Amino acid sequence: MGQKVNPVGLRLGIIRGWDSNWYGGKKFADKIVEDDKIRRYLNARLFKAGIAKIYIERTLKLVTVTINAARPGLIIGKGGTEVDKLKEELKKITNKDIQVNIAEVKRPDLDAVLVAQNVAKQIEGRVSYRKAVKTAIATTMRSNAEGIKISISGRVGGAEMARSEHFKEGRTPLHTLRADIDYATAEAHTTYGRIGVKVWICRGLVYGKRDFFTVVPDSKDQRLGGGGVNSPKRAPRGPRKSK
């Protein structure tokens, strides 16, 4: 199953939390549509800020939007003026009070959304897809990722017939539920058609219980790679029996 389903959805409630936290009630469908409008609007308006995740929490009258971005300065603006504009624009979409929180993505090379967008942007800029992918893989592995896999589909390199190509380094154990696999897709719009980019990044193994309802990732969270300083010690092996 790990090879066939979305790695994020498979780990919901185990090591991953939800991007939207609220109780739907009778207006469940309306709230889902509203969340989608908020996300589409923010991704289009703040494209240059490198948005990785948008978390949405709701109370009766307040909508709290937390934006995780690689370049938060572009969202905040001088003296926070851009944030105030953003609040007013989101108020028009939702007709509710809006609170906007902004968090910085400390290591953008370990975020699948940002890596996929970066590769897609380079392909759109007519960079060789092999060079773009290999650069992304090298940068991610230098940031202490356990493994990365990138798949590119479409008329790769302007070929007549569409095909898929896969690039991989390290380990990405999709069946292991405690493996912190980040997954994202992006599209490159080229003159010869649309090219799809998929990225899987393994950021280590997660031990211990996580709080799924904190919207900003906790720095104390135990996201440990194999053999790290804080990783659990294995029981010592006994002497091997000779055959």
Side-chain angles (χ1 to χ4, degrees):
M1 283 302 292
Q3 301 292 336
K4 296 174 177 63
V5 300
N6 189 309
V8 176
L10 186 64
R11 287 162 177 77
L12 279 179
I14 300 169
I15 63 164
R16 292 290 291 257
W18 286 259
D19 290 352
S20 293
N21 290 319
W22 39 263
Y23 172 68
K26 291 180 181 177
K27 295 185 177 179
F28 182 79
D30 295 337
K31 288 177 181 175
I32 283 183
V33 171
E34 202 172 84
D35 278 12
D36 186 54
K37 281 181 182 175
I38 290 170
R39 287 198 169 92
R40 281 175 184 270
Y41 177 75
L42 290 175
N43 280 318
R45 189 186 185 282
L46 306 171
F47 182 74
K48 291 181 180 177
I51 292 178
K53 284 276 188 302
I54 297 169
Y55 298 99
I56 298 173
E57 280 192 325
R58 292 172 183 270
T59 56
L60 199 59
K61 293 181 180 178
L62 181 70
V63 179
T64 304
V65 179
T66 303
I67 303 169
N68 281 15
R71 292 182 287 278
L74 292 177
I75 305 172
I76 297 165
K78 281 190 177 179
T81 51
E82 290 296 319
V83 176
D84 296 333
K85 278 185 194 173
L86 202 59
K87 279 184 186 177
E88 294 303 317
E89 289 162 10
L90 291 176
K91 268 185 189 177
K92 290 176 184 176
I93 295 173
T94 59
N95 294 322
K96 296 182 183 75
D97 289 332
I98 298 283
Q99 181 185 335
V100 177
N101 300 328
I102 296 158
E104 184 183 2
V105 178
K106 295 285 174 66
R107 294 191 288 177
D109 297 324
L110 290 180
D111 195 284
V113 174
L114 299 177
V115 172
Q117 285 176 359
N118 182 34
V119 172
K121 204 183 292 181
Q122 287 187 62
I123 292 172
E124 282 179 359
R126 305 199 175 187
V127 175
S128 164
Y129 73 95
R130 287 181 194 276
K131 185 180 178 184
V133 168
K134 285 180 179 177
T135 305
I137 288 174
T139 311
T140 302
M141 292 304 288
R142 271 202 301 272
S143 298
N144 294 329
E146 283 206 358
I148 178 172
K149 184 166 73 170
I150 298 179
S151 171
I152 289 186
S153 303
R155 291 183 59 189
V156 180
E160 285 292 318
M161 188 175 286
R163 67 179 191 275
S164 294
E165 287 204 23
H166 304 276
F167 303 84
K168 186 178 178 183
E169 190 170 329
R171 60 191 283 271
T172 49
L174 300 182
H175 285 65
T176 309
L177 292 180
R178 72 179 178 191
D180 187 5
I181 305 283
D182 197 18
Y183 169 75
T185 61
E187 289 180 350
H189 299 269
T190 64
T191 51
Y192 44 83
R194 202 176 290 193
I195 290 176
V197 180
K198 293 181 181 178
V199 175
W200 294 259
I201 296 176
C202 178
R203 301 185 289 203
L205 300 179
V206 175
Y207 298 98
K209 185 70 177 170
R210 275 187 169 181
D211 182 8
F212 301 131
F213 299 101
T214 50
V215 288
V216 181
D218 187 3
S219 60
K220 295 177 184 175
D221 190 14
Q222 282 188 315
R223 183 183 293 148
L224 307 174
V229 178
N230 301 317
S231 55
K233 294 178 181 177
R234 295 180 181 176
R237 290 182 178 178
R240 292 185 179 179
K241 293 179 182 178
S242 56
K243 292 183 180 178

